[in-house]
Amino acid sequence: MAHTTRERLLDAGLEMLLQHGYNDLGIQALLQATGTPKGSFYHYFRSKEDFALQVIDRYMDEVHQGLDAALGDQSLPPLDRARRFFELSREKYRRDGYLGCMLGGLGQELSGINPTFAEKIEGCFGELTQRLSACLEEARQRGDIPLDSDPRELANLLLNCWEGAALRSRLWRDPTPLDQMLDFYFLAATRG
Amino acid sequence: MAHTTRERLLDAGLEMLLQHGYNDLGIQALLQATGTPKGSFYHYFRSKEDFALQVIDRYMDEVHQGLDAALGDQSLPPLDRARRFFELSREKYRRDGYLGCMLGGLGQELSGINPTFAEKIEGCFGELTQRLSACLEEARQRGDIPLDSDPRELANLLLNCWEGAALRSRLWRDPTPLDQMLDFYFLAATRG
DNA sequence: TTAAGAATAGACCGGTCAGTCTAGTGAGGT
DNA sequence: ACCTCACTAGACTGACCGGTCTATTCTTAA
């Protein structure tokens, strides 16, 4: 299979980037963990940066799958759909050992030193808020949140607070901050 | 002056750690930026890790100064005092070029790989929430927030959401996420 | 004046970094 | 049978990492 080695590297990259971040992840360690010779890595990827950017793409594939599953569930009112996405994310974090969100992690680490990553990650946040704000707009039109709410702003708010809670849950290795944040936010949002 | 070199290193470390994070900050670069020979650095600090931990202490000194200034202002109701602390922080971020909060930055970068830093930073967050929750408790007793609120939980919530907003403001190089988060939080907290 | 210790100075160390290079392997097409 | 080319394999490069070492200078007090 032509894609096996590349897939294996991206899979391991997903895991190792989440735990180690970018600068602390050595190519050597990645190769050792996957039993890959260096030649193969540089056959598939131009550089470490190129590799990490593709790992982020893979991460976003999972994110969009979560969004599809949650926001696409027409049996739920829109606000519950939005909340469900974050609950699915929380379950993913649990499976990973509460290491938080890769976008938040790499965003913090790299946005001060590498514009390519900064733009990439802000682009990912943009995709997320785009879909969330469409969902919140639906809630607004139904009157589930005040009619004068700004869905775009509310979506950014939701995502930003989530990222903060994810950082704290990474420190605690515990989902409590995530749950408390969701309770607080969705109660407050409905009241305007 | 015996402390001049050490002070100079810590000052530069404050700035450089905020921008570069830990792993991307080279001792060499720090020495070059401050015109310090290597011998001096290792005269004052046991290691790079020891240095960074002392930089965090210095950062926390500033944080506590901000807390003193804001929470100690008895002319303001307690909720305004809490908000004022974050507004002072926002002004500090502005002066730094909106690079966010060092605790959040180092927490994200290092909590997955270095338990010493993870504990250190969680300890700092603890100090912060301790003082904030005392302030919120005062607000609760005055009835400015619902009597059945949990000040400790509200303080953690406030700090966590702030850290998320700080990350986004670092990506945007812009204070908007900070302000929107404060508006949202303090409106919601008063209503319970 | 001198002894002592703090602080400066930077050459140097082993190890590791991302990335390059060349050689070899193996499967598919002709 | 043979050629091609994607892929594997890992030795190697030069730069840089954090940290050590020894030598020297400066400060201060006896």
Side-chain angles (χ1 to χ4, degrees), chain B residues 9-82:
Chain B
L9 287 168
L10 288 173
D11 278 344
L14 215 42
E15 203 176 306
M16 296 179 81
L17 269 184
L18 185 60
Q19 170 157 26
H20 290 273
Y22 184 79
N23 284 309
D24 189 59
L25 172 59
I27 301 288
Q28 209 66 248
L30 176 77
L31 300 179
Q32 192 154 2
T34 53
T36 312
K38 208 162 221 185
S40 297
F41 180 89
Y42 283 96
H43 174 74
Y44 292 109
F45 306 101
R46 248 169 296 126
S47 63
K48 183 185 177 183
E49 177 175 315
D50 175 47
F51 172 70
L53 290 169
Q54 291 194 42
V55 170
I56 295 175
D57 284 335
R58 220 179 155 75
Y59 186 82
M60 282 307 286
D61 287 345
E62 293 180 8
V63 168
H64 279 291
Q65 277 171 31
L67 285 165
D68 292 342
L71 305 190
D73 182 352
Q74 300 295 332
S75 74
L76 261 40
L79 230 43
D80 288 3
R81 303 206 283 264

Side-chain angles (χ1 to χ4, degrees), chain B residues 151-173:
Chain B
R152 194 116 186 85
E153 181 178 330
L154 277 179
N156 274 313
L157 209 44
L158 173 54
L159 180 62
N160 295 351
C161 291
W162 176 260
E163 287 295 332
L167 161 59
R168 203 70 186 285
S169 86
R170 181 173 160 112
L171 281 165
W172 289 8
R173 296 286 147 89

Side-chain angles (χ1 to χ4, degrees), chain A residues 2 5 37 39-40 43-44:
Chain A
T5 299
S40 299
H43 175 72
Y44 292 109

Side-chain angles (χ1 to χ4, degrees), chain B residues 56-146:
Chain B
I56 295 175
D57 284 335
R58 220 179 155 75
Y59 186 82
M60 282 307 286
D61 287 345
E62 293 180 8
V63 168
H64 279 291
Q65 277 171 31
L67 285 165
D68 292 342
L71 305 190
D73 182 352
Q74 300 295 332
S75 74
L76 261 40
L79 230 43
D80 288 3
R81 303 206 283 264
R83 179 167 185 143
R84 182 151 163 66
F85 165 68
F86 289 99
E87 284 166 352
L88 286 176
S89 298
R90 182 197 58 203
E91 290 314 299
K92 179 191 169 341
Y93 295 178
R94 182 181 56 72
R95 289 192 297 272
D96 293 339
Y98 295 114
L99 292 171
C101 170
M102 179 180 288
L103 301 176
L106 296 180
Q108 279 281 20
E109 181 182 1
L110 300 173
S111 61
I113 51 179
N114 189 319
T116 304
F117 277 102
E119 284 160 30
K120 176 76 176 180
I121 287 162
E122 177 50 32
C124 293
F125 280 153
E127 291 175 29
L128 257 156
T129 51
Q130 184 73 22
R131 296 190 64 178
L132 285 171
S133 72
C135 182
L136 294 175
E137 165 63 12
E138 203 177 324
R140 191 188 67 85
Q141 281 171 6
R142 284 169 42 116
D144 294 343
I145 58 176

Side-chain angles (χ1 to χ4, degrees), chain A residues 66-117:
Chain A
L67 285 165
D68 291 342
L71 305 191
D73 183 351
Q74 299 296 331
S75 74
L76 261 41
L79 229 44
D80 288 3
R81 304 205 284 264
R83 180 168 183 142
R84 183 152 161 63
F85 165 69
F86 288 99
E87 285 167 351
L88 286 175
S89 297
R90 182 197 58 203
E91 291 314 299
K92 179 193 170 338
Y93 294 178
R94 182 182 55 73
R95 288 192 298 273
D96 293 338
Y98 296 114
L99 293 171
C101 169
M102 180 180 289
L103 300 176
L106 295 180
Q108 279 280 22
E109 182 182 1
L110 300 174
S111 62
I113 51 179
N114 188 321
T116 304
F117 278 101

